[in-house]
Amino acid sequence: MQATGDLAPVVTITSTPSMPNSPNIPPAMFGAGGPMLKRFDESTLASRINSGASSPPPSVKGIGKKVAKPDYSEQKIVVAMVGLPARGKSYLSNKLMIYLRWLEYDVKVFNVGQLRRTKARQKAQKLGVKEVHMADFFSHSNAQATQSRDSLAEESLETLIQWLKEGGNVGIHDATNSTRSRRAKIEARLAKEKGMILIFLESLCDDPATIAANVELKVSQGDPDYKDMSPDAARTDFLRRIKEYEKVYETITEPHLSYLRITNVGEEVSMSRINGYLSSRIAFYLMNLHIRPRNIFFSRHGESKYNVEGKIGGDSLLSPRGMQYAKALPALITDNIGEKPLTVWTSTLKRTIQTAQYLPYTKLTWKSLDELDAGVCDAMTYEEIEQAYPDDYANRDEDKFNYRYRGGESYRDVVVRLEPVIMELERQENILIIGHQAILRCLYAYFHHLPQADLPYIKIPLHTVIKLTPKAYGCDEERYTLPINAVDTHRPKPKTVKPPGTQSSTQRRYFVEDEEDMKAGVVA
């Protein structure tokens, strides 16, 4: 830990790019695996006491209630990106947006390059004048273009501020903001607004392989600036653009600014003057990101006795078919992972621990991975719940994400308790989670950026392994179903024609804006 003076503390955290199972990997001081966050329980013996159907007292009416969304209206943060092109700014913006939206904050990315292209398209349509945005346009010696780019950055910032005033929580200003003068303008403008916090997020990269990969993403994945150019010509021009920015680039050294500086996407993180709950949450998340190749495997426990009986919750053992799955699982995993290290995470419940027992890997248990608590309905069948509490049964079907069982949880509650799991998943490499239907739905929705309303209806069948491969802008997915029969515990969304599906893509998305976004330059 370093300090640049009593008034401007700077914390620098260096990550060792080693495999997470290596005994010599030091946990990040403030990382999800570090001493500042309680470690999950590593005992494979812990489990819940067997549950039985509860008999609520006669005075109890119903099984629960709808949980209101937390009031985040006072949270107003501007995250201003800083960095050269091809240094991962848009990747960090996208990841931060997905994470905060999963936690139900209202977040938008305001991309100045997108606004520039939108304005150029409008000008071409109205006046027949086509602007050329090649490398010369980004030269500091091109006074007219520099003025135009400054104007676009200011317009994007004004749109962001107005959006925050209308109810948004976190606006991400995705631009280079690469000079002290540009950052000073942003700071001066935000100082006029009451209650808005400004954090600069600088992405540095000196790894040639990472830079080259980012350049290839820019060239190969449909950047509108190079729509009519060959890949070689586009690559040459983009490298020239980077050189123009490098001539005037000034890293953050202003001691009074609130900022995070991330080097090589997680190799080292420095931060200064980060205060407040949401600001700290943002910093905590970003310092756990990395881009090393990895796989995340999801599997529900093998079929349990309660699954066969149609009961929810409880802590039952596996059925005979569930035990078959547990014995077949190691071969499937080792065929996919090979000799790479892997850590298995389970809940504290017997059915997940039983399912993991034959896997030849390090196993850790998380209390946070326990199934959604059904409260007074624990160990009941859905038919019994419908008969005992018909009104509440119907209400839960109408709003399953927000509905909390009496004495239990809602899906929203589960998302909140899974946040430390997400932090550690982002920090780690190859992980297999043997979990429960509701838990894996929540984690799956995070990685695929699915809306909360669809989250409780994601299909996570028994005796199936879901393999996720995180990429720069999404996840690849493969599913492997073992030929061992199991009951179907999926309950579809009422009156839904089309079930929720994966919406993410591993490609960087260049949005075609609607009329409102064309005016605002907003990437939603």
Side-chain angles (χ1 to χ4, degrees):
M1 185 178 296
Q2 292 180 303
T4 59
D6 293 339
L7 297 181
V10 178
V11 177
T12 301
I13 299 123
T14 303
S15 171
T16 303
S18 307
M19 290 300 182
N21 301 318
S22 172
N24 62 4
I25 180 172
M29 173 64 72
F30 292 89
M36 299 208 49
L37 185 71
K38 183 179 180 182
R39 270 308 241 178
F40 43 80
D41 175 20
E42 297 187 8
S43 166
T44 58
L45 300 176
S47 65
R48 232 184 242 173
I49 297 173
N50 281 328
S51 300
S54 301
S55 299
S59 59
V60 172
K61 301 291 185 183
I63 61 171
K65 61 181 180 179
K66 182 177 176 181
V67 183
K69 179 180 176 179
D71 182 6
Y72 295 135
S73 59
E74 297 302 313
Q75 303 288 345
K76 305 290 180 184
I77 294 181
V78 176
V79 178
M81 304 302 298
V82 177
L84 292 166
R87 263 56 175 187
K89 297 188 305 299
S90 293
Y91 166 75
L92 292 174
S93 299
N94 188 58
K95 289 289 290 185
L96 181 59
M97 178 187 69
I98 290 172
Y99 164 70
L100 292 175
R101 284 186 174 179
W102 185 71
L103 293 173
E104 296 189 275
Y105 290 95
D106 197 0
V107 187
K108 277 189 178 180
V109 177
F110 295 76
N111 184 283
V112 175
Q114 192 71 17
L115 178 61
R116 168 177 55 80
R117 288 185 286 267
T118 297
K119 294 284 188 180
R121 184 167 57 250
Q122 291 173 340
K123 187 174 181 180
Q125 291 171 347
K126 291 179 181 178
L127 304 177
V129 177
K130 184 176 181 180
E131 290 186 349
V132 178
H133 294 161
M134 296 296 100
D136 291 340
F137 181 81
F138 300 92
S139 171
H140 193 66
S141 60
N142 186 337
Q144 183 177 357
T146 299
Q147 182 180 2
S148 174
R149 288 187 287 113
D150 286 346
S151 176
L152 287 167
E154 291 169 8
E155 181 178 346
S156 179
L157 182 61
E158 289 299 325
T159 306
L160 185 159
I161 291 170
Q162 183 59 37
W163 175 80
L164 287 176
K165 289 180 177 179
E166 292 171 357
N169 300 129
V170 180
I172 303 174
H173 193 242
D174 189 4
T176 57
N177 296 321
S178 55
T179 63
R180 292 188 187 92
S181 61
R182 173 74 72 83
R183 295 192 289 270
K185 289 179 181 177
I186 295 174
E187 185 184 13
R189 178 63 187 89
L190 266 295
K192 298 177 182 178
E193 299 297 334
K194 184 178 179 181
M196 291 190 186
I197 297 171
L198 172 62
I199 301 172
F200 287 98
L201 173 55
E202 183 174 19
S203 183
L204 298 179
C205 185
D206 55 14
D207 178 19
T210 301
I211 296 171
N214 288 341
V215 170
E216 288 307 309
L217 277 175
K218 182 83 169 178
V219 169
S220 65
Q221 294 197 354
D223 186 333
D225 285 342
Y226 301 119
K227 182 177 61 173
D228 300 320
M229 295 178 66
S230 69
D232 287 342
R235 187 179 302 104
T236 299
D237 184 82
F238 189 54
L239 291 172
R240 282 184 58 219
R241 181 192 300 189
I242 294 173
K243 292 291 184 185
E244 293 297 338
Y245 274 107
E246 287 176 337
K247 292 176 183 177
V248 297
Y249 187 80
E250 297 170 309
T251 189
I252 297 177
T253 56
E254 302 93 312
H256 63 286
L257 294 182
S258 296
Y259 70 85
L260 285 95
R261 180 186 294 116
I262 298 178
T263 303
N264 294 331
V265 196
E267 184 177 293
E268 183 177 286
V269 179
S270 300
M271 61 181 180
S272 179
R273 298 184 178 277
I274 301 298
N275 300 294
Y277 175 70
L278 183 54
S279 298
S280 299
R281 207 169 189 176
I282 289 170
F284 186 49
Y285 173 75
L286 291 170
M287 67 177 59
N288 281 289
L289 296 178
H290 70 83
I291 54 172
R292 296 187 294 278
R294 60 180 175 145
N295 294 121
I296 298 170
F297 298 90
F298 290 162
S299 173
R300 288 176 66 185
H301 52 79
E303 181 189 70
S304 72
K305 293 178 180 179
Y306 268 22
N307 290 148
V308 175
E309 296 168 11
K311 296 178 180 180
I312 65 173
D315 193 16
S316 71
L317 298 172
L318 297 183
S319 71
R321 293 188 300 199
M323 285 301 300
Q324 279 184 265
Y325 179 71
K327 292 175 181 177
L329 187 58
L332 175 60
I333 297 299
T334 53
D335 284 348
N336 275 278
I337 201 74
E339 298 300 317
K340 297 175 185 176
L342 177 73
T343 302
V344 179
W345 293 354
T346 72
S347 74
T348 68
L349 302 180
K350 294 174 185 174
R351 54 193 183 273
T352 64
I353 294 171
Q354 269 193 298
T355 305
Q357 65 184 306
Y358 300 109
L359 290 162
Y361 305 106
T362 300
K363 303 179 186 74
L364 302 173
T365 62
W366 285 75
K367 181 67 176 173
S368 295
L369 290 175
D370 284 3
E371 180 60 303
L372 185 151
D373 189 342
V376 299
C377 294
D378 192 56
M380 295 175 70
T381 68
Y382 282 111
E383 290 75 16
E384 289 170 344
I385 296 170
E386 184 176 18
Q387 184 176 4
Y389 311 106
D391 293 340
D392 292 273
Y393 179 86
N395 289 338
R396 186 169 191 265
D397 266 352
E398 288 176 7
D399 192 357
K400 197 171 178 180
F401 181 77
N402 293 309
Y403 202 83
R404 178 187 289 159
Y405 286 104
R406 179 178 293 277
E409 293 180 299
S410 67
Y411 270 90
R412 172 176 280 128
D413 297 323
V414 172
V415 165
V416 171
R417 72 166 153 98
L418 284 175
E419 186 182 8
V421 178
I422 288 296
M423 293 288 190
E424 190 68 8
L425 274 175
E426 289 291 5
R427 195 180 80 90
Q428 294 286 351
E429 295 185 18
N430 298 313
I431 298 292
L432 164 61
I433 298 179
I434 298 179
H436 306 270
Q437 183 168 243
I439 302 301
L440 297 183
R441 280 169 170 166
C442 294
L443 297 176
Y444 185 96
Y446 166 78
F447 281 102
H448 278 309
H449 193 201
L450 298 177
Q452 306 289 32
D454 287 345
L455 185 156
Y457 303 100
I458 297 169
K459 197 158 190 176
I460 311 285
L462 289 166
H463 298 177
T464 299
V465 173
I466 300 172
K467 177 183 177 182
L468 299 180
T469 305
K471 298 292 184 68
Y473 293 98
C475 275
D476 284 341
E477 179 184 325
E478 299 171 68
R479 292 196 178 203
Y480 308 94
T481 301
L482 288 174
I484 301 168
N485 289 334
V487 296
D488 183 1
T489 62
H490 181 77
R491 299 178 69 241
K493 190 173 184 178
K495 303 178 182 178
T496 297
V497 177
K498 185 178 179 182
T502 301
Q503 298 176 353
S504 68
S505 166
T506 57
Q507 290 196 331
R508 178 172 177 172
R509 298 174 65 193
Y510 293 96
F511 293 79
V512 177
E513 306 90 335
D514 58 26
E515 192 62 34
E516 180 182 353
D517 286 349
M518 287 179 71
K519 295 175 183 176
V522 171
V523 177

